[in-house]
Amino acid sequence: SNISSTMMGSTAETALMSRRASPKTAHEQMMLGCFYSAGIIGLLIVYGLLQERIMTIPYPDSGGGNLELFKYSVFLIFLNRLFAVIFALCMAKRNGEELRNMAPLWKYLVVSAANVFASSCQYEALKHVAFVVQMLGKSFKMLPVMLWSLVLTRKTYRTQDWLVAIAVTGGVSEFLLTGPTEVYSHSHHHLHSSSSSSSSEGLLGTEVVGYLWLLAFLCMDALTSTMQEKLFKDHATSKYNQMLYINGLSSVVSAATLLTTGTLAAAVNFTVERPQFMVDAMVLLSSAVAGQFFIYSQVEMFGALVLAATMNVRQIASILLSYRVYHHAITSLQAFGLIIVFSALSYKSFLAVSNYKKSLPELLPTVDKECVTDTTSPASTILTYQSTEAPPPSAASSALAKR
């Protein structure tokens, strides 16, 4: 079985490298790069805006009345993971990847449980703090991820990696401490009416709850990312094989959670009674899966570092558009904090693109070294840039797999 697995992996790697190394003119490459980037940015902006809409704005019933917030975040996670399983199965078959579990099931289950908990924390945080805070929180997690990796896998980072992480962390902290971060203009405005003082106290309390959910998300998501990377290293799992089993078991964990808490029937009733929610949920899940096609295509042709630069642009665009669409309040000091974060992310993107250009004389797969999964993003395969050093060409397929 080891020989057949090796042959299967060799065939998949050869096919992957053949597709990525296919000759294209500079103009064709530029057009494809722009197309993939536009697809990723556009689809994930839709995904982010719908996340905020679903969790913060109440839905009317079919008669147009009885406004109610969607409260069953685990149900949304369950649907997301089912879509992710279908996507992973299709991509694994397309690439000829092994479908049997490459690591013990209990290890997949541990990662899956942490994954579901992290996702749930993210959705719960959206009920109490603005989407912008959550997006910045995903940048804030750079430092926890690096620290977890340092402790668990003894990974080392260059000085510029630490400086970027510290700058982002500082900018996010400055943003959180110098202005409003609650979701008053959405759920609180629609559902509550009280005196100014009691409302202010309530918003302060809900912000604290939101920060606690966000802190739990950061810790669990950083741990999940590190454990997934460890699975890749210890058991040589392929990208979509791991995605298939982690999301499959995440579906089981989330379904079990819905059943044990007695919220499955309520979530289904909410979906049936509120057609607009069903539409938003389907668009949310569809944009997640469609986004993965563009993500996979860009990684396949241009490498994970170019994807990381694209994701940074998407993050900035999502934050600015969220302010525009949902009318969040912002202070001048918060704007300064955003400038710090955007500058650090732009520098990180510049490093990614620079390293990609330097790698052009060689096969594209050699530009990837270390990527970790943003486990709560669409289909759990968003890549986050961590290092710009190039591995040997023989590591091409495993580097691509380190999402």
Side-chain angles (χ1 to χ4, degrees):
S1 61
N2 288 337
I3 294 175
S4 63
S5 297
T6 302
M7 292 177 63
M8 181 75 75
S10 177
T11 302
E13 179 176 348
T14 301
L16 173 63
M17 293 180 69
S18 174
R19 288 193 297 271
R20 293 184 73 178
S22 59
K24 284 182 171 60
T25 65
H27 177 72
E28 288 175 332
Q29 284 193 331
M30 182 183 70
M31 294 301 294
L32 274 176
C34 292
F35 175 67
Y36 292 146
S37 295
I40 292 169
I41 293 169
L43 287 166
L44 296 191
I45 283 178
V46 170
Y47 179 84
L49 290 176
L50 279 175
Q51 268 192 323
E52 183 169 13
R53 190 264 178 269
I54 287 173
M55 299 306 298
T56 64
I57 300 179
Y59 284 91
D61 59 22
S62 56
N66 191 22
L67 291 175
E68 185 180 346
L69 275 173
F70 177 72
K71 301 186 289 287
Y72 315 103
S73 57
V74 178
F75 181 68
L76 211 53
I77 295 168
F78 171 69
L79 296 178
N80 182 284
R81 298 307 181 260
L82 280 182
F83 272 62
V85 167
I86 295 171
F87 174 81
L89 185 61
C90 293
M91 298 309 294
K93 295 290 287 184
R94 176 180 183 265
N95 295 329
E97 292 186 10
E98 184 67 61
L99 293 182
R100 66 178 179 84
N101 57 300
M102 308 296 291
L105 286 177
W106 70 266
K107 291 189 177 182
Y108 287 123
L109 183 60
V110 169
V111 177
S112 299
N115 174 275
V116 171
F117 185 73
S119 299
S120 181
C121 289
Q122 172 189 263
Y123 281 114
E124 292 301 315
L126 271 177
K127 297 177 182 178
H128 306 281
V129 294
F131 171 78
V132 175
V133 176
Q134 185 198 93
M135 287 298 295
L136 290 175
K138 291 185 177 183
S139 298
F140 189 87
K141 80 172 186 178
M142 289 173 62
L143 204 54
V145 166
M146 293 170 72
L147 292 173
W148 275 117
S149 297
L150 190 66
V151 172
L152 295 178
T153 64
R154 307 299 182 192
K155 183 188 296 183
T156 59
Y157 296 90
R158 295 174 302 169
T159 302
Q160 65 185 22
D161 295 326
W162 288 109
L163 290 177
V164 168
I166 291 171
V168 169
T169 302
V172 173
S173 300
E174 199 270 348
F175 177 90
L176 297 178
L177 295 172
T178 56
T181 56
E182 76 285 341
V183 289
Y184 176 79
S185 61
H186 301 326
S187 58
H188 289 90
H189 176 72
H190 284 285
L191 300 178
H192 301 289
S193 59
S194 56
S195 67
S196 177
S197 60
S198 62
S199 176
S200 178
E201 291 174 4
L203 289 177
L204 179 60
T206 198
E207 277 189 273
V208 172
V209 172
Y211 288 146
L212 291 176
W213 280 117
L214 194 57
L215 178 62
F217 157 70
L218 291 173
C219 293
M220 294 304 299
D221 192 51
L223 177 60
T224 305
S225 300
T226 306
M227 291 302 295
Q228 282 188 290
E229 185 178 356
K230 191 171 176 60
L231 272 181
F232 279 123
K233 290 182 176 179
D234 293 349
H235 299 281
T237 57
S238 63
K239 176 178 181 178
Y240 291 106
N241 179 277
Q242 185 177 137
M243 183 180 171
L244 176 65
Y245 279 91
I246 289 178
N247 283 288
L249 289 172
S250 293
S251 300
V252 174
V253 171
S254 53
T257 302
L258 289 168
L259 290 172
T260 55
T261 57
T263 54
L264 178 59
V268 172
N269 288 337
F270 185 96
T271 304
V272 172
E273 293 172 359
R274 290 166 170 77
Q276 185 56 50
F277 169 76
M278 186 183 299
V279 172
D280 288 346
M282 288 300 102
V283 174
L284 177 80
L285 298 172
S286 299
S287 64
V289 174
Q292 292 320 295
F293 168 77
F294 283 92
I295 287 171
Y296 173 84
S297 299
Q298 189 173 71
V299 171
E300 183 180 53
M301 180 163 290
F302 298 100
L305 298 184
V306 174
L307 174 63
T310 302
M311 295 303 298
N312 290 336
V313 174
R314 171 256 173 172
Q315 186 173 23
I316 294 171
S318 293
I319 289 174
L320 296 178
L321 197 57
S322 178
Y323 273 110
R324 171 66 178 170
V325 173
Y326 295 114
H327 309 294
H328 297 298
I330 186 171
T331 67
S332 56
L333 287 176
Q334 283 183 308
F336 179 69
L338 286 180
I339 291 173
I340 295 175
V341 174
F342 290 171
S343 298
L345 293 178
S346 298
Y347 176 67
K348 190 171 76 166
S349 298
F350 171 76
L351 290 178
V353 174
S354 297
N355 279 273
Y356 170 71
K357 288 180 178 179
K358 291 177 183 177
S359 71
L360 283 178
E362 305 172 6
L363 283 177
L364 285 174
T366 62
V367 302
D368 304 340
K369 184 185 179 186
E370 297 294 350
C371 297
V372 295
T373 307
D374 177 352
T375 58
T376 56
S377 291
S380 304
T381 58
I382 302 301
L383 310 187
T384 309
Y385 164 68
Q386 282 220 311
S387 177
T388 55
E389 298 174 10
S394 61
S397 61
S398 62
L400 178 63
K402 292 176 182 177
R403 301 167 290 122

